[in-house]
Amino acid sequence: FPFSNEDLYIPLIYFGDVIVDAQQTINYTGEVPIGFVMSIDSTGDAGTITVYNLETRESMTIDNDIITSITGTGISAGDLITITTIKGQKSAILSRDGDSINILNAVVGSANWFSLDLGPNPFYYTADFGGSFLLFNINYQLLYEGI
């Protein structure tokens, strides 16, 4: 799409921010709790990843050793992990070199399948190593109660 930014030093057009932080809060304004799609894009090697919902104290761990046993290598540059927590669509997929690999077994058995509740939903992640190489994105729909 065409656009113009006439100033060379002051950005006049805002497209968004990349936030470099291991903790972010999603303020969900819907009326019905909803699952979501969490994408984790790796730009380098990383270890076991654990994501926490700080409000509910739930956690989800993606075990790098199990990914290694499934694929032959652990989380590495170019990998995209997609976790879907939507009811009826729950999945864990690793996209690598054009292939989609089911890594549901790598999601630790005690994992909670997150949902967004009304209001603030603070999330935090850790990784055994390479946490700075991980880019998270959470996509969701707003749901409202009907009559």
Side-chain angles (χ1 to χ4, degrees):
F1 60 92
F3 64 91
S4 176
N5 189 22
E6 303 304 326
D7 194 304
L8 297 176
Y9 302 102
I10 300 172
L12 301 175
I13 301 173
Y14 175 78
F15 287 102
D17 289 322
V18 174
I19 300 170
V20 181
D21 196 353
Q23 179 178 336
Q24 284 298 312
T25 299
I26 297 172
N27 191 24
Y28 180 65
T29 59
E31 297 174 348
V32 178
I34 181 93
F36 53 85
V37 177
M38 175 174 49
S39 302
I40 306 168
D41 189 11
S42 179
T43 60
D45 294 348
T48 295
I49 302 166
T50 303
V51 181
Y52 302 92
N53 181 325
L54 299 176
E55 184 71 25
T56 63
R57 303 217 182 262
E58 296 173 315
S59 66
M60 177 180 284
T61 299
I62 304 162
D63 192 319
N64 196 41
D65 292 335
I66 296 175
I67 290 176
T68 302
S69 69
I70 294 170
T71 66
T73 59
I75 300 167
S76 55
D79 286 354
L80 175 65
I81 298 172
T82 305
I83 309 282
T84 303
T85 69
I86 300 168
K87 288 183 182 179
Q89 300 176 28
K90 294 179 182 175
S91 64
I93 303 293
L94 170 66
S95 299
R96 177 183 286 168
D97 298 327
D99 294 327
S100 294
I101 304 162
N102 181 351
I103 59 164
L104 191 58
N105 290 342
V107 178
V108 173
S110 63
N112 296 293
W113 291 90
F114 297 127
S115 65
L116 296 177
D117 295 318
L118 177 62
N121 293 269
F123 288 95
Y124 178 79
Y125 80 91
T126 62
D128 288 348
F129 62 90
S132 62
F133 296 126
L134 302 174
L135 304 170
F136 281 75
N137 186 26
I138 293 179
N139 292 307
Y140 60 93
Q141 295 180 331
L142 288 175
L143 286 185
Y144 298 99
E145 290 190 59
I147 297 177

